[in-house]
Amino acid sequence: MSDRAIEPTGRPRAYPAPATVLELLKPITWFAPMWALMCGVVSSGVPLLERWWEILLGIVLAGPLVCATSQAVNDWFDRHVDAINEPNRPIPSGRIPGRWGLYIAIVWSILSLIVAWILGVWVFWAALIGLLLAWAYSMPPTRLKMNGWWGNAACGFAYEGIPWFTGAALMMAMAPDWKIVALAALYSIGAHGIMTLNDFKAVEGDRQMGVRSLPVQLGIDRAAKLACLVMALPQAVVVWLLFDWALPVYAAAVTALLLVQLVLMVRLIGRPREMAPWYNATGTTLFVAGMLICAFAIRPEMAALTGGAG
């Protein structure tokens, strides 16, 4: 299908309206990486007020820049699938005409790297990896999203692990401690399940376009059960680590959040396709709350390592 075939009839726009560009960049998706970055900032143990401007710039990097880039890249390379699933999106609807979607993705990638470089070498490398994952997820020939196993893993680390690492590296000005990396990695693995739930809404279009999402590969019921398992197991490991690190109060708090999620998962598995949006508004909220609890749990130890006041 050509670009012209998916543009609406009538006189096309020469350039996109600012409001349409903002729609393309999907501000609603920025929350997850910004939250993860703040978890990294908190977990670093470095006093926050002393570095407030760097924190603000880091939040801009995680959300309005890197995450927004990933949205533009995805929409550009998914424009033919979106013409089936969601034809009113900015690119297939023609409100972002020609190759403007690609140009926006390239410009936002460059802006992201410039801001990351300002924030330090570790932040730069983390941002570069995040951007590479964003492009590899959507762009041929890699197009990781064509297989749900790889694509969801890329999204999980791009939305949770890399921003968490970035926030800690930003504050510590060095590679974060292994405990920070371990927690970020575990929650990234858990996010793989969240990404699977997000794929339920596009099953028909994915089948037509040959996108092998996990709901397509496994069926919706099996994919929902797998998603729940993938979300729950890493959190169980987190609880074990917190107990092992002599942080029982924080371990108990994460356990409580996990138990509530398990109750919600039972309802999700009963009607996965209908309940996936509901679970993303409830269970996922508990999931990310656990991230912040973990960040506060290790903050005093990281403060002792960095010489911060915590």
Side-chain angles (χ1 to χ4, degrees):
M1 184 182 293
S2 67
D3 294 348
R4 184 178 297 277
I6 62 173
E7 290 179 359
T9 58
R11 184 177 181 180
R13 292 183 60 94
Y15 54 87
T20 306
V21 173
L22 185 63
E23 182 182 347
L24 175 72
L25 301 180
K26 297 186 185 70
I28 194 172
T29 66
W30 302 349
F31 171 78
M34 291 191 299
W35 179 271
L37 181 129
M38 285 306 303
C39 289
V41 167
V42 170
S43 67
S44 71
V46 177
L48 305 184
L49 293 180
E50 295 178 5
R51 309 282 292 279
W52 65 269
W53 72 269
E54 292 171 275
I55 295 172
L56 288 178
L57 199 56
I59 291 172
V60 170
L61 176 65
L65 289 177
V66 174
C67 183
T69 297
S70 73
Q71 300 303 320
V73 171
N74 185 63
D75 272 26
W76 172 254
F77 289 105
D78 257 14
R79 60 196 185 279
H80 303 124
V81 177
D82 288 341
I84 298 170
N85 289 324
E86 299 176 85
N88 291 324
R89 280 191 172 189
I91 294 176
S93 69
R95 289 179 292 129
I96 290 188
R99 301 177 69 83
W100 270 95
L102 178 61
Y103 301 151
I104 292 169
I106 293 172
V107 170
W108 249 249
S109 296
I110 295 171
L111 288 174
S112 299
L113 291 176
I114 292 172
V115 171
W117 183 257
I118 292 172
L119 292 173
V121 63
W122 283 103
V123 174
F124 175 82
W125 284 111
L128 178 60
I129 293 171
L131 289 169
L132 290 175
L133 284 176
W135 283 88
Y137 177 79
S138 300
M139 184 179 71
T142 52
R143 198 152 165 77
L144 297 177
K145 74 170 298 174
M146 294 298 290
N147 188 304
W149 295 104
W150 294 107
N152 291 357
C155 283
F157 277 90
Y159 273 80
E160 306 295 355
I162 293 175
W164 192 324
F165 181 97
T166 300
L170 168 66
M171 300 299 286
M172 303 172 82
M174 61 181 185
D177 183 82
W178 75 271
K179 291 184 178 180
I180 293 176
V181 175
L183 291 172
L186 285 166
Y187 275 101
S188 296
I189 294 170
H192 188 290
I194 297 172
M195 300 303 150
T196 298
L197 298 183
N198 290 336
D199 288 335
F200 287 170
K201 65 180 181 295
V203 174
E204 285 77 15
D206 287 346
R207 284 198 182 109
Q208 291 181 47
M209 301 305 298
V211 177
R212 299 183 69 243
S213 67
L214 292 185
V216 170
Q217 291 187 53
L218 305 177
I220 290 177
D221 290 341
R222 291 176 63 195
K225 293 174 182 176
L226 176 68
C228 291
L229 184 65
V230 171
M231 286 185 286
L233 282 182
Q235 293 180 82
V237 176
V238 167
V239 170
W240 176 80
L241 286 175
L242 292 175
F243 274 117
D244 188 60
W245 297 339
L247 298 166
V249 173
Y250 295 98
V254 176
T255 299
L257 292 176
L258 177 56
L259 290 175
V260 176
Q261 289 173 69
L262 293 175
V263 173
L264 299 178
M265 286 175 184
V266 172
R267 186 178 182 190
L268 169 67
I269 291 173
R271 290 184 296 150
R273 190 162 191 175
E274 295 83 358
M275 300 307 296
W278 167 81
Y279 188 87
N280 278 334
T282 54
T284 300
T285 301
L286 300 174
F287 179 93
V288 300
M291 293 169 57
L292 189 58
I293 290 172
C294 291
F296 278 109
I298 62 173
R299 180 173 173 79
E301 181 180 350
M302 296 303 111
L305 289 176
T306 59

